[in-house]
Amino acid sequence: FSPQHLDDDTVSGSNWITENNVQHSLSQTTKTTRKPYCGYTQQTLSKREQAEQESLLAAIQWPKPPDGKIAFAQSSDPTHSDFVIVKPSRFFKVGDQLEVLVRMKDFQGKPKQYGGDYLQARIHSPGLKAGAAGRIVDCHNGLYKVFFTLLWPGEVKVSVSLVHPSEAIQVLLRLREERPDRVYFKSSFKSGRYSETTECNVCLPGGLPVCNFTDLYTGEPWFCYKPRKLSCASRISHAKGGYLKGLLTQEESLFFQRFVCRFGCMLILKDFFLPDSISMDRSEDPTASPSGYYYEDQWRSRTHWIHNFNKSDDIIECLQGKVIHLFGDSTIRQWFEYLTAFVPDLVEFNLGSPKNVGPFMSVDLKHNILLKFRCHGPPIRFSTVFSSELRYIANELNSIVGGRNTVVAITIWSHFSTFPVEVYIRRLRNIRRAVIQLLDRSPKTSIVIRTANVQELGPEVSLFNSDWYSFQLDSVMRKMFSGIAVHFVDAWEMSVAHYLPHNLHPNEIIVKNQIDAFLSYVCPLQT
């Protein structure tokens, strides 16, 4: 883990100081002896909401190892593990299903008897710049079935990665439920020349006076410790505070030091041949896999036709006369940056916003295009956001009139990875309600949801932004928005299937493919 690669959503130092000459010590609130997190049980749910939440939590329930402490030598070891093709054949044809059986073993070379490992899998043809993700089924006995749909002709390789052993997943589960305070936030309060800075979070331990910044419309809770001398109304900014250290025992840390897999630890199977071609025959389903595949570095969706917007004139023709709202984190801010840089007449208007934070706006007066980006409300781990700009996506959606010339794109996931899943479910429920209301009053509004994506994982960042956390949140999001008239850009599979190393902020070629998919929803090809 290298600090010089840090960005908005990644781990930074855990200490911070106040503005100007006023110091506010956080020692009493950042120690590991803090009182237990207050939980997310304060919200009042209807019977329907309660049933949905229980169903969602049950759907992402993860297999647990047997009772008792598991020694490191008995944990999953990728170097001893292997996989085989089920029902191998000399020739496969496009459209076939390939099944691979992964046999997990421990460091002593003994077969594992329980499941719960987190794997990622893909098929790929480097020469063709082709790739697709695999679907993994845990058999709960140390065996894993991986299913691949063979989607293009040529020589294809199979790769399987062990991202986290089951023993590490249990540590991540514990941290998510017991230490959601491992990322903390801060707000500055100011009156004249005097300023104070205090800690903030979804919930804070008792014992000190707090400022209640719960949103009046959505009910989204947010609290800050009250400044000693200033009023709560004097808050001027929000920022990430830091990341707690020393969260693991020495043995727990081994599960992450040894198991963060990159491309070098993938298992490669011998090549096999795929003649023929396949046609698109499915309607859009956010839970289906694979949703698409790369071929010659271009993403081909299996649910809708994607037009390649290779020229700026193509994008201008699509977006002319439209207002495009981008809501979320820095991964959708990449869309704003790409479009602004790629379309010459789309010029960013200086709003005086902090770099990488926003809000941002670009305007093309010649073609009547307005492009806007705004980050989602707290928790947001950006450097500094003015309090006046802390707005929840649901509230922003309620202020949009909508119509055929209105486009909305949303992503929200990474900044919720350290909290119990109930926190995320509540946020999505508010956004979903606002989306439905927007479509009710303006059904021709285009609404696109960008899913989560995988990223490079070091031992430290895994404790805060693990792909397993993101995978769980992404699964919840897809289920909650299934059946609603929104479109999905599957950034998850687009990052898993690509040959480039995983990155929280994907490379430009992946962003370009995301933009092509996005604009193909906004301006579908006439057939």
Side-chain angles (χ1 to χ4, degrees):
F1 180 75
S2 179
Q4 64 263 29
H5 297 304
L6 298 175
D7 204 343
D8 303 330
D9 303 295
T10 49
V11 179
S12 66
S14 61
N15 299 318
W16 54 273
I17 58 176
T18 59
E19 301 173 354
N20 298 345
N21 61 344
V22 181
Q23 183 175 359
H24 183 81
S25 173
L26 294 180
S27 60
Q28 59 185 326
T29 58
T30 57
K31 293 180 179 178
T32 57
T33 55
R34 292 171 63 141
K35 293 181 180 180
Y37 179 71
C38 69
Y40 213 68
T41 58
Q42 299 177 9
Q43 61 176 327
T44 302
L45 300 178
S46 66
K47 290 184 178 180
R48 184 175 181 179
E49 290 171 338
Q50 184 65 41
E52 179 188 45
Q53 180 166 289
E54 292 175 357
S55 175
L56 290 168
L57 294 177
I60 61 171
Q61 190 75 30
W62 203 260
K64 294 184 178 181
D67 293 336
K69 187 176 181 180
I70 305 296
F72 176 71
Q74 297 174 312
S75 61
S76 304
D77 176 17
T79 60
H80 281 96
S81 304
D82 59 17
F83 63 78
V84 295
I85 291 180
V86 178
K87 297 180 181 179
S89 172
R90 184 178 178 185
F91 293 103
F92 293 87
K93 63 179 182 295
V94 170
D96 283 351
Q97 285 283 315
L98 173 69
E99 181 180 348
V100 168
L101 184 67
V102 178
R103 302 177 294 198
M104 199 63 63
K105 299 178 182 178
D106 63 21
F107 279 87
Q108 299 170 334
K110 297 179 181 179
K112 295 289 291 289
Q113 302 299 317
Y114 54 89
D117 298 299
Y118 175 53
L119 307 173
Q120 291 175 357
R122 70 180 180 125
I123 51 172
H124 53 111
S125 298
L128 296 173
K129 293 186 177 181
R135 181 174 61 89
I136 299 166
V137 176
D138 189 342
C139 300
H140 307 286
N141 58 1
L143 301 178
Y144 299 84
K145 294 180 179 180
V146 187
F147 297 94
F148 299 98
T149 303
L150 306 179
L151 295 164
W152 62 88
E155 294 182 345
V156 178
K157 296 183 178 181
V158 175
S159 298
V160 179
S161 298
L162 174 64
V163 181
H164 294 304
S166 54
E167 295 77 18
I169 296 296
Q170 297 311 303
V171 177
L172 295 177
L173 271 168
R174 175 179 63 79
L175 291 177
R176 186 173 67 186
E177 298 305 318
E178 298 179 6
R179 299 310 305 269
D181 62 332
R182 63 193 184 279
V183 174
Y184 56 95
F185 304 85
K186 63 180 180 178
S187 271
S188 294
F189 300 77
K190 188 175 182 181
S191 179
R193 288 185 158 185
Y194 185 84
S195 65
E196 296 184 51
T197 302
T198 71
E199 185 181 356
C200 307
N201 219 319
V202 173
C203 286
L204 294 171
L208 292 174
V210 300
C211 295
N212 185 351
F213 295 114
T214 299
D215 184 66
L216 295 178
Y217 180 79
T218 62
E220 292 287 352
W222 193 254
F223 304 95
C224 297
Y225 285 118
K226 189 180 184 302
R228 291 191 181 100
K229 297 182 180 180
L230 298 178
S231 69
C232 295
S234 63
R235 182 176 65 148
I236 61 169
S237 67
H238 161 93
K240 61 182 178 184
Y243 297 74
L244 300 186
K245 311 295 182 180
L247 296 169
L248 305 181
T249 65
Q250 185 174 0
E251 187 166 33
E252 284 176 338
S253 65
L254 294 176
F255 297 141
F256 296 93
Q257 294 285 351
R258 297 294 298 273
F259 286 101
V260 177
C261 284
R262 295 179 176 84
F263 285 90
C265 70
M266 288 184 176
L267 308 172
I268 306 298
L269 189 68
K270 65 180 182 180
D271 300 338
F272 52 90
F273 186 73
L274 309 174
D276 225 349
S277 61
I278 191 169
S279 61
M280 183 167 52
D281 58 358
R282 303 185 313 164
S283 59
E284 187 173 3
D285 179 359
T287 63
S289 179
S291 63
Y293 62 101
Y294 285 105
Y295 191 79
E296 296 180 341
D297 235 359
Q298 294 181 350
W299 183 254
R300 299 186 177 186
S301 172
R302 299 180 67 214
T303 62
H304 71 288
W305 295 106
I306 292 183
H307 172 53
N308 296 314
F309 292 80
N310 296 327
K311 300 178 181 178
S312 60
D313 287 346
D314 297 334
I315 297 179
I316 290 173
E317 182 180 357
C318 173
L319 297 182
Q320 185 163 356
K322 290 182 171 57
V323 178
I324 305 96
H325 303 268
L326 306 178
F327 296 116
D329 56 34
S330 57
T331 60
I332 206 167
R333 188 188 70 217
Q334 288 186 280
W335 290 13
F336 176 90
E337 294 164 347
Y338 177 90
L339 289 169
T340 300
F342 191 74
V343 180
D345 292 328
L346 200 54
V347 179
E348 184 173 355
F349 186 84
N350 187 359
L351 297 175
S353 301
K355 183 180 179 181
N356 296 337
V357 175
F360 300 125
M361 180 172 69
S362 291
V363 181
D364 179 349
L365 294 177
K366 182 178 178 181
H367 303 99
N368 195 29
I369 301 172
L370 177 60
L371 176 67
K372 304 167 74 176
F373 162 79
R374 179 176 292 278
C375 69
H376 64 71
I380 188 81
R381 299 179 208 162
F382 285 173
S383 53
T384 301
V385 184
F386 296 122
S387 300
S388 60
E389 301 294 355
L390 280 178
R391 304 181 190 178
Y392 292 94
I393 294 176
N395 293 340
E396 292 297 296
L397 293 174
N398 287 333
S399 67
I400 295 175
V401 176
R404 67 172 63 249
N405 290 323
T406 300
V407 181
V408 175
I410 301 168
T411 192
I412 181 167
W413 55 282
S414 180
H415 299 255
F416 288 80
S417 59
T418 56
F419 295 96
V421 180
E422 292 89 335
V423 177
Y424 186 63
I425 292 174
R426 177 177 188 138
R427 184 62 58 88
L428 290 189
R429 187 180 291 122
N430 281 318
I431 294 173
R432 183 179 60 185
R433 182 184 300 114
V435 164
I436 292 173
Q437 291 172 348
L438 174 55
L439 290 173
D440 280 346
R441 63 179 178 268
S442 302
K444 294 188 180 298
T445 306
S446 296
I447 300 181
V448 177
I449 294 179
R450 180 201 184 278
T451 75
N453 59 263
V454 296
Q455 60 185 289
E456 182 182 11
L457 296 177
E460 187 174 4
V461 74
S462 293
L463 307 183
F464 306 96
N465 277 11
S466 166
D467 279 352
W468 181 78
Y469 286 139
S470 301
F471 175 72
Q472 291 237 301
L473 297 182
D474 197 58
S475 298
V476 166
M477 183 276 295
R478 291 171 191 257
K479 291 180 182 297
M480 291 187 69
F481 280 89
S482 180
I484 298 176
V486 298
H487 304 290
F488 294 85
V489 171
D490 199 335
W492 186 270
E493 290 199 8
M494 294 171 84
S495 55
V496 169
H498 204 271
Y499 56 84
L500 286 173
H502 296 172
N503 195 323
L504 174 63
H505 301 109
N507 183 276
E508 182 175 304
I509 185 61
I510 299 178
V511 175
K512 194 269 184 190
N513 277 287
Q514 293 174 4
I515 293 292
D516 284 349
F518 165 58
L519 295 179
S520 294
Y521 285 126
V522 177
C523 306
L525 288 173
Q526 301 298 320
T527 59

